[in-house]
Amino acid sequence: MTKELEDRLARLEETVYFQEQALRELNDALVLQQAQLDETERLLEAARDRLRALAKVMEDDGGEDTGPPPHYL
């Protein structure tokens, strides 16, 4: 092999190495973001459940207080 071909091959190998490293870093970031998204979805679903329960309590209550105001007691 000539010196020019050896240099070109070395540059290509170096490029591939850094691209593989960048792909690993991007994959790690994606995995972390997916974990954060999963946690956010779990928290959102819990908030929805609590809101539904609160809405049901308010519907059952009718939202009206039929007793005397607290200052009359």
Side-chain angles (χ1 to χ4, degrees):
M1 242 192 263
T2 67
K3 174 71 173 148
E4 183 180 309
L5 286 176
E6 288 177 5
D7 290 345
R8 185 173 177 205
L9 181 59
R11 283 193 308 272
L12 288 172
E13 288 174 340
E14 185 177 304
T15 299
V16 168
Y17 170 80
F18 286 112
Q19 285 179 344
E20 287 176 346
Q21 183 178 352
L23 282 174
R24 281 191 298 274
E25 290 172 4
L26 287 170
N27 185 59
D28 291 345
L30 185 59
V31 168
L32 178 61
Q33 283 184 338
Q34 186 61 51
Q36 291 171 338
L37 181 58
D38 291 344
E39 177 66 9
T40 300
E41 288 176 347
R42 185 189 68 74
L43 292 171
L44 179 58
E45 189 58 34
R48 283 182 182 148
D49 291 344
R50 292 174 72 185
L51 186 57
R52 285 185 195 114
L54 181 59
K56 184 169 174 40
V57 167
M58 290 181 73
E59 283 176 9
D60 292 344
D61 186 25
E64 296 178 20
D65 188 7
T66 57
H71 63 277
Y72 285 145
L73 297 178

